[in-house]
């Protein structure tokens, strides 16, 4: 790789490190400590990875603490003692920079296959009268890179389609017809206007172990019918509470939701329904939403 390219790559790595550190520190769910009740460690995947890293650091091979494959938690295990508040900070940064470097090396390898003079701005005429100029670059360079013009078109369409996958996100919006709901006791809540739609979720303030929320024996009753957790609906932990999501359409009407042992509802935070919708948005154009009060 030419020296100028190496300088550019180094500058890009420095800028990426600076952006990573700034966004990491400004994240509204940044945990203050490596504990399962702090910040994003309350989320399911993040909490399982943290628990596994803590277990590896302590030499604990209990299968209940190793939910996923060991690669990622093992990267963070040494940093449990070096940077105990944020054991994944350095491994995540290293993976980010490694991905950037590999991408740059791949791009340099492909660029080396472009024939000399491809993309030149000058115009020349060959003995056969054909023209070679910058307008010929698509016909000149893509076959050299990908083997044929057809492959170039296929790769371009595939690249655009792949990029569009990252231009969407799920957004929760308050329902305009939302009706009042109430917490009946520390394990039970009532929602008079339950919609039963699979794109509506129920949000409630609650506390309890992640395992009790995610795998607990919760029940839902509506229109004289009973529904079971994990088969008919799913409950997810979230900062400050939980989120209930139907897995199939249910009858509309007044619903009674009873949560299993270990889950304690917060009566000061009224339950509410919100509707999921898919919106077009680039990941970096919108700041993360703050956690609920």
């Amino acid at each position: 790789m030419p020296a100028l390219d190496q300088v550019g790559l180094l500058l890009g790595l420095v800028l990426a490190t600076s952006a990573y550190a700034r966004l990491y520190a400004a994240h509204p769910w940044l945990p203050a400590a490596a504990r399962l009740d702090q910040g994003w460690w309350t989320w399911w995947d993040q909490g399982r990875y943290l628990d596994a890293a803590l277990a590896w650091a302590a030499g604990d091979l209990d299968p209940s603490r190793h939910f996923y494959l060991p690669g990622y938690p093992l990267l963070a295990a040494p940093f449990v003692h070096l940077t105990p508040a944020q054991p994944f900070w350095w491994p995540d940064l290293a993976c980010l920079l490694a991905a950037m470097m590999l991408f740059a090396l791949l791009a340099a390898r492909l660029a080396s296959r472009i024939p000399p003079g491809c993309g030149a701005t000058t115009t020349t005429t060959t003995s056969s009268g054909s023209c070679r100029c910058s307008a010929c670059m698509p016909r000149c360079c893509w076959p050299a890179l990908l083997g044929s013009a057809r492959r170039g078109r296929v790769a371009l369409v595939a690249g655009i389609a792949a990029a569009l996958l990252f231009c969407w996100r799920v957004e929760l919006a308050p329902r305009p017809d939302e009706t009042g709901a109430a917490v009946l006791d520390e394990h039970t809540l009532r929602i008079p206007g339950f919609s039963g739609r699979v794109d509506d979720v129920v949000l409630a303030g609650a506390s309890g172990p992640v395992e009790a929320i995610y795998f607990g024996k919760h029940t839902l009753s509506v229109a004289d019918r009973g529904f079971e957790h994990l088969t008919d609906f799913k409950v997810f932990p979230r900062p400050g509470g939980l989120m209930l999501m139907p897995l199939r359409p249910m009858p509309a009407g007044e619903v009674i939701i009873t949560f299993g042992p270990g889950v304690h509802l917060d009566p000061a935070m009224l339950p509410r329904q919100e509707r999921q919708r898919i919106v077009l948005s680039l990941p970096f154009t919108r700041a993360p939403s703050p956690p609920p009060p």
Side-chain angles (χ1 to χ4, degrees), residues 45-210:
D45 290 330
Q46 286 77 1
R48 304 288 69 73
Y49 282 124
L50 174 64
D51 195 32
L54 296 175
W56 281 115
D60 185 352
L61 300 181
D62 182 354
S64 66
R65 301 190 66 186
H66 299 275
F67 195 83
Y68 295 117
L69 294 174
Y72 187 47
L74 275 173
L75 291 177
F79 297 95
V80 168
H81 304 293
L82 298 175
T83 54
Q86 302 295 337
F88 284 90
W89 197 96
W90 287 105
D92 288 348
L93 176 61
C95 291
L96 171 65
L97 299 183
M100 290 184 62
M101 293 181 64
L102 290 174
F103 179 83
L105 292 172
L106 177 62
R109 179 69 178 271
L110 292 175
S112 66
R113 299 173 60 183
I114 299 177
C118 213
T121 56
T122 57
T123 302
T124 58
T125 303
T126 65
S127 58
S128 62
S130 61
C131 174
R132 290 184 179 179
C133 60
S134 58
C136 305
M137 193 176 83
R139 295 194 299 271
C140 172
C141 298
W142 282 110
L145 289 175
L146 301 170
S148 71
R150 183 176 180 276
R151 288 185 182 179
R153 289 193 295 270
V154 172
L156 179 61
V157 173
I160 294 174
L164 288 176
L165 293 177
F166 297 95
C167 296
W168 306 90
R169 61 178 172 83
V170 177
E171 181 179 77
L172 292 178
R175 284 182 45 196
D177 56 343
E178 171 67 9
T179 57
V183 175
L184 302 182
D185 56 50
E186 65 174 353
H187 296 293
T188 310
L189 60 83
R190 180 185 66 213
I191 300 179
F194 181 69
S195 69
R197 293 173 46 137
V198 294
D199 57 346
D200 281 357
V201 299
V202 176
L203 304 178
S207 61
V210 172

